[in-house]
Structures are given as structure tokens and as C-alpha cells.
Amino acid sequence: MSISLNNQNFYELLDVASTATQDEIHRAYQKAKQTYAPNSPALYTMFTPEEAREIALMLEEAFATLSSHEARKRYDLKLLKLRNNDEPNSALYSETLPDVSLDKDGQDPGLYSSPEEEPTSKVPKEVPDGYAQTPLSVYKIDHKMEENIKHSEVFDGSFIKSVREYKKVELHDLSEKTRISTAYINAIEANDFKALPAAVFSRGFINQISKILGLDAEKASKSYMDLFKNKRS
Amino acid sequence: MNPTEEQQNVRPIRGTGYPKSNIWAIGGGKGGVGKTFVSTSLAVFLSNLGYKTTIVDLDLGAANTHTSLGEAAPRMGIQNLIMTPNTKLVDVAQPTKFTHLNIVSGSNDALDVADINNEHKSRLMSAIYNHEADFTILDLSAGTHKSTLDFFLMAQKRLLIFTPEPSSIENAYRFMKSSFFRNVKRFEHQLHLKPLIDNLMQNKSSLGIKSPADLLALVIKNDPVNGERLKDLLNRYDYQIILNQTRTFKDMEIGESIAGVSKKYFGLNTSFLGHVDHDNAVWQSLRKRQHLLVEYPHSRLYTQLMKITRKLVQQNKSLKLTA
């Protein structure tokens, strides 16, 4: 994922003011779609087809949020909270060269990562005996399932789905928490590799989902991406 | 912060002063895209509007600005300036048939003028910088020679000519990339960023630096204060794009796309000024040794070029006439 574009909010990506009207946003989106379409002459020697596709996906996500009144309102509030939050982003003050590899921790601390160190928890810290929790849910422990998860070597879509359902994590909550669209999460769980974006994005998605579901992120993403590469080529 | 550091932060950055005229540079990388045609057109319109305008032919060794204007080869020009110390631009500028427009030509230059050395280049740049006029238009040569880039970076309006052909788009982007890095070079020492930038560029694949925008983002991340200063300096003057020789409606749409892509790629302000259609009238008027604006004042190109000139002039609302 592009370092510079990752730092941009949805308005900046679409090159509109934060006070833009819906009409302006729509026109900007149409223009951007044309610009980043495959074989667009404007891309020649600047972005590879792969990079252009990644940018197009980012623009889709931006438009999907900003074109809906409700989603835009929620997004604007989020931006406002981030701006008002004075907690220093540790990445800004690093003495050494930053590691911006998406693989290391699943996300690049840019403008839009949560300022807190731990993900905000919807659930109480104390759970009854026999129960466990994820950041988004509380679930009853099934020892057989836990053994299954512990010894699993293949992390394909159906496995990820079974873990999610076992741990009572709702699709919508997972989507909102990770900012991965439900369409992509569904595609991941259905092993619909062709519907997924480029490897660098998809790997990041698996990383994020694994963390929420309490899976070994490195193991899961390696396993899933092996399947991804084989099936997509 | 100790006193020395404080002093360094307050010292003005070299290369950020203001020249004595509004300098517009027209570049584009590829030969034949219409740099001279557009620069002479802008110069003619500005002079028609009453502004004192000088056009400088910086296509050293391939001077043809005077031909585009329908002027005879001037007997004095760049050569005289660079060979004689303390010569001003006004001393070698020749009048043209257009009131308020004079030209500094290279038509009578020695045949090796293209191999200009640094001292001569400095002299020329200094003369341009100190030239008193409302507008100084720099008609640049093709290619990305360092002196061409330096002339381009002197300007307050940095205009880039693209045509819809991939080869022209490729060369114009190349020109922008070269000018970006040349511009970074101007400031990296003064901002104490050179070691960081060198380090980042040496490790660019492992760091995922795929564009100048990525480089800038990482510079800012590692040195927020000087990084932001660098970004401000690079953003001081926008890149402005003119799409020339458009033939179809689809061609015209490319202009906005090019500006959009440039903005994302460089992380710098880039805007699309307008398009100029392909028209046989251009070569026809050239063969008649008259500028198109004189020969075909009712052509569509007249309106398109006038619109672009107006847009540029209106960007500086506080322009004053010298007369």
C-alpha cells in the first residue's frame, strides 16, 4: 500500500474539500474512476497497473463512505476525534528509519489508526467462568473447537468463518472494527480469491481479522496467502 | 535548542527570494509538443493586455522563438549576455512588432552555446532574475538537462505542455520527476535533510518508496519540522498543465487525469489549466512567418489560449503595470 496515500483521508484521496457537496464528491469519484481505469493514458510511467488498481480500490472505499450521509457523518466525527486527540503518534518521533511493511503488524500507523494502544473493547473485562472474549464479543469456550484451532495448519476461508461464528463475532462488527468491507470479508470466508484485491491488501486483511479472532496472525496469513497465490495464478 | 540551532532555523533559505518580474517557464520534456507555440502565444497576449513582457529563448543551440513570433533573427541575444560580464537582460533584448513585447533570442549564438558552463549559466540566471518587467517568459528547450531544470525552477509559474500521445506524456512526466529531484537538491543541504534523504533513497525498495510522494511522507515522518519545511518549499509554486494538440473529446479529458495522477504521485499541488486543439492553422501560419494569433485571430485556438492567459493572470490578483 502506498505510504503517502495511506496517510490521506477520504476527502484528500478524492481530492475534494471536507465541505464538498454530494454532487462534488460524485463528480470527483467519476473523474477518479476514469483516471485510474486500466489503460488510462494518464498513468503511463507513473503507476503500474497493480498500483493503479490499489488506488482505484482506495477511491471506491472513500466514495462508498462519503456518498452515504450517515456513513459520512460517522466518518467526519471520527476525523474530528482524531484531530482533537493530542496523544503523540509514536511513529512520528522515531529516531530510526520507520518500518512501513504491512506484514510486520498488519497496519501502518498512519493518520487513521486508533490513538489508543489496545483496540477499544465493546465487551467487559471480566467474563464468567467457561467463557472467553474477543474485542468484539463474549463466547462460551468449546474445548474441542479450541483444540481444533490450536492444531490447525490450514487457514482457509471456511476455517476463518467457523472461528468467527464460534467466537460469536458478528460480520458487521468485524467489518466496522477492521474497516474491511463486508463484501471482502465474505469473499475471504468463501475462498473467492478472484474477488479479493491484490495480495498486499488481502494479506493485511487476514492479519487484522486474525488478531480480532485471536488467531496466530502470521501463521494464518501465510497459510491463507499460499492458497490465494495458488488459486489466483 | 542551543543558539546555533536557533540561528540556523531563522536564517532565510537560499533560493526563496523574489525576482523583479513574474517569471513563467514553459517546459515539457519532449520536442515538438508546442512549448514555443504556447510560450509565444502567452507572451503576445500579455503584451496585448498592456503588460511589459520579455520572452527569453532558452533553447540554447536551437533558437526559434523569434521565428514563431514572425520576427527576423535578432542580431543580439544570449551570447552577448553570457560572454560579457555585467550585461543586463534589457541590454540584449530586442523589440518585436508587438508593443510591450521584447525578445531575448539565441539566434546569433555561437554554435557551441548549448554547452553552457556553470559560470555562464549563473550569469544568465542572474540576469533573468534581476530583469525588470511585468512578465518574463522562459521558452525552455526539450529534454531534462540540468540547466533546463534550473531555469524551470526559477519560475513562479511552472507550466508543462503535454500532448495526448504516450511519448509526450512519458517525457513530460520524466521532466516533472527530474525537476522534483532537482528541486529537492536545492534545499536538502540547507534543511540538513541530505543524509536522511540519501538513506531513504538507498533503501527505497525495502521501505516501499514508490513515488516522490512516498519519499516526502517518510522525510516528514522522520523529521517533522524540516520535512514540512521541505514540503512547503517544494509546494511554493504549483505545477500547471496545458494539454496541447487535442483532437478528440476523449483527449481533452486526459488533462484533468494527468493533473490528478501528478498530484498523487508527487504529493505536490498540480492543476490543469486547459487544452489547446490541434489545428493545421499552426503550421500554416508558421510557414507564412506570422504568429497564429496574428494570422488567424478568429480561430478556436485564439480563444483557448486567451482563456489560459487570463486564468494565469488572475492567479496573481495584485499585478501592477510598470507603465
Side-chain angles (χ1 to χ4, degrees):
Chain A
M1 205 182 297
S2 159
I3 301 165
S4 54
L5 296 181
N6 203 35
N7 283 347
Q8 293 190 344
N9 64 41
F10 289 161
Y11 294 102
E12 287 162 340
L13 277 172
L14 281 171
D15 204 8
V16 292
S18 56
T19 50
T21 62
Q22 292 304 102
D23 189 45
E24 283 166 343
I25 288 171
H26 194 258
R27 270 188 274 124
Y29 171 68
Q30 294 296 349
K31 236 194 268 178
K33 251 177 82 169
Q34 200 167 53
T35 302
Y36 295 97
N39 298 322
S40 159
L43 298 174
Y44 188 50
T45 71
M46 297 287 258
F47 293 115
T48 63
E50 190 66 50
E51 286 164 352
R53 212 165 139 244
E54 289 176 11
I55 297 173
L57 283 166
M58 293 173 96
L59 292 164
E60 291 283 350
E61 195 192 347
F63 181 65
T65 303
L66 297 184
S67 58
S68 141
H69 278 291
E70 280 307 310
R72 184 178 175 181
K73 236 171 40 184
R74 274 184 272 136
Y75 182 75
D76 287 346
L77 272 169
K78 207 196 281 188
L79 282 187
L80 198 63
K81 267 193 202 150
L82 281 163
R83 271 191 211 121
N84 290 339
N85 194 324
D86 280 330
E87 274 182 39
N89 183 341
S90 61
L92 274 181
Y93 299 101
S94 65
E95 294 285 315
T96 56
L97 291 171
D99 177 0
V100 292
S101 159
L102 201 57
D103 289 347
K104 277 273 170 115
D105 58 9
Q107 45 192 37
D108 182 9
L111 189 56
Y112 303 100
S113 59
S114 165
E116 295 103 271
E117 288 295 317
E118 301 295 322
T120 44
S121 187
K122 260 173 109 163
V123 304
K125 292 223 163 110
E126 297 293 319
V127 290
D129 283 339
Y131 283 79
Q133 60 177 320
T134 70
L136 295 172
S137 63
V138 175
Y139 60 98
K140 190 166 181 190
I141 297 173
D142 176 342
H143 292 287
K144 205 171 162 195
M145 188 63 180
E146 293 290 340
E147 281 299 304
N148 213 0
I149 293 172
K150 201 170 158 187
H151 296 293
S152 188
E153 290 300 322
V154 178
F155 290 74
D156 71 347
S158 51
F159 178 75
I160 290 172
K161 182 173 182 176
S162 65
V163 172
R164 182 177 64 74
E165 286 175 342
Y166 157 62
K167 296 196 176 185
K168 303 268 183 284
V169 174
E170 293 293 335
L171 187 70
H172 172 79
D173 290 339
L174 184 61
S175 170
E176 220 181 285
K177 179 71 192 162
T178 57
R179 285 192 288 137
I180 302 167
S181 71
T182 50
Y184 282 146
I185 300 178
N186 279 323
I188 287 169
E189 292 183 348
N191 292 327
D192 188 1
F193 303 114
K194 288 212 154 54
L196 290 174
V200 65
F201 273 126
S202 300
R203 186 181 297 120
F205 293 165
I206 304 298
N207 256 316
Q208 289 176 68
I209 292 170
S210 304
K211 283 185 179 173
I212 302 286
L213 298 181
L215 296 170
D216 179 342
E218 209 176 303
K219 204 172 165 193
S221 59
K222 185 174 187 316
S223 170
Y224 193 89
M225 292 316 289
D226 281 344
L227 294 166
F228 178 98
K229 279 177 199 146
N230 287 335
K231 288 285 165 67
R232 254 178 62 134
S233 49
Chain B
M1 210 190 291
N2 67 46
T4 333
E5 278 176 63
E6 216 170 332
Q7 275 174 317
Q8 282 173 349
N9 278 340
V10 171
R11 195 186 301 157
I13 301 284
R14 262 180 298 111
T16 60
Y18 291 97
K20 293 194 180 146
S21 68
N22 288 286
I23 302 179
W24 295 6
I26 291 91
K30 186 166 170 56
V33 294
K35 292 183 287 307
T36 301
F37 173 66
V38 170
S39 55
T40 50
S41 302
L42 294 175
V44 167
F45 274 127
L46 288 170
S47 64
N48 279 352
L49 288 170
Y51 294 111
K52 205 163 140 212
T53 309
T54 302
I55 184 165
V56 186
D57 189 344
L58 289 172
D59 197 345
L60 305 176
N64 60 6
T65 308
H66 59 285
T67 309
S68 181
L69 281 171
E71 297 286 318
R75 287 153 57 90
M76 203 191 250
I78 302 245
Q79 184 81 47
N80 305 88
L81 190 145
I82 62 180
M83 295 312 284
T84 321
N86 300 318
T87 314
K88 294 193 189 145
L89 208 68
V90 71
D91 299 333
V92 298
Q94 302 294 295
T96 67
K97 62 166 81 60
F98 305 98
T99 325
H100 306 304
L101 175 63
N102 56 19
I103 180 172
V104 176
S105 169
S107 58
N108 266 320
D109 292 347
L111 299 176
D112 63 352
V113 71
D115 302 318
I116 189 174
N117 68 30
N118 279 335
E119 190 201 332
H120 293 158
K121 185 180 79 175
S122 291
R123 204 173 280 164
L124 184 48
M125 285 177 78
S126 185
I128 294 170
Y129 193 84
N130 290 311
H131 179 60
E132 290 181 10
D134 292 315
F135 294 98
T136 306
I137 310 296
L138 306 183
D139 181 14
L140 300 180
S141 69
T144 52
H145 196 274
K146 277 194 201 132
S147 41
T148 307
L149 298 175
D150 288 341
F151 292 130
F152 183 71
L153 292 171
M154 283 185 78
Q156 287 75 60
K157 298 252 185 276
R158 296 169 177 171
L159 311 182
L160 289 146
I161 312 293
F162 284 71
T163 69
E165 280 65 51
S167 45
S168 146
I169 292 175
E170 176 174 18
N171 278 17
Y173 278 147
R174 187 189 203 90
F175 185 86
M176 288 174 83
K177 288 172 195 174
S178 304
S179 73
F180 176 92
F181 285 105
R182 187 80 183 154
N183 211 10
V184 166
K185 271 209 143 25
R186 286 164 95 205
F187 300 119
E188 59 182 6
H189 270 297
Q190 297 179 71
L191 294 173
H192 312 288
L193 286 173
K194 185 160 165 57
L196 170 62
I197 291 174
D198 285 348
N199 203 347
L200 290 172
M201 288 307 285
Q202 269 162 28
N203 294 294
K204 65 180 179 181
S205 345
S206 58
L207 289 170
I209 295 176
K210 292 188 185 160
S211 67
D214 290 345
L215 172 67
L216 256 184
L218 283 184
V219 171
I220 291 171
K221 216 170 189 180
N222 277 276
D223 186 343
V225 172
N226 287 315
E228 287 291 348
R229 286 174 86 198
L230 177 65
K231 188 169 186 183
D232 287 342
L233 287 166
L234 296 176
N235 254 327
R236 214 168 166 233
Y237 305 117
D238 298 358
Y239 288 122
Q240 302 197 62
I241 286 160
I242 297 173
L243 189 65
N244 194 21
Q245 302 186 40
T246 50
R247 289 172 210 251
T248 64
F249 188 73
K250 227 176 170 330
D251 283 348
M252 294 177 219
E253 293 172 339
I254 295 173
E256 289 282 4
S257 292
I258 289 172
V261 166
S262 305
K263 209 167 173 174
K264 289 231 173 339
Y265 186 82
F266 292 104
L268 301 177
N269 298 331
T270 314
S271 55
F272 175 57
L273 271 174
H275 71 93
V276 180
D277 288 337
H278 179 273
D279 197 323
N280 287 330
V282 176
W283 65 261
Q284 283 165 352
S285 51
L286 199 58
R287 287 208 190 174
K288 290 186 187 174
R289 306 230 191 119
Q290 287 291 355
H291 197 277
L292 173 128
L293 299 178
V294 170
E295 193 65 22
Y296 300 104
H298 303 292
S299 67
R300 203 173 43 241
L301 298 196
Y302 188 101
T303 320
Q304 291 170 345
L305 290 158
M306 174 55 124
K307 240 169 115 171
I308 289 171
T309 314
R310 277 231 160 92
K311 242 184 182 170
L312 284 163
V313 168
Q314 275 158 9
Q315 287 171 358
N316 296 67
K317 303 224 172 83
S318 58
L319 281 174
K320 282 183 277 215
L321 289 176
T322 51

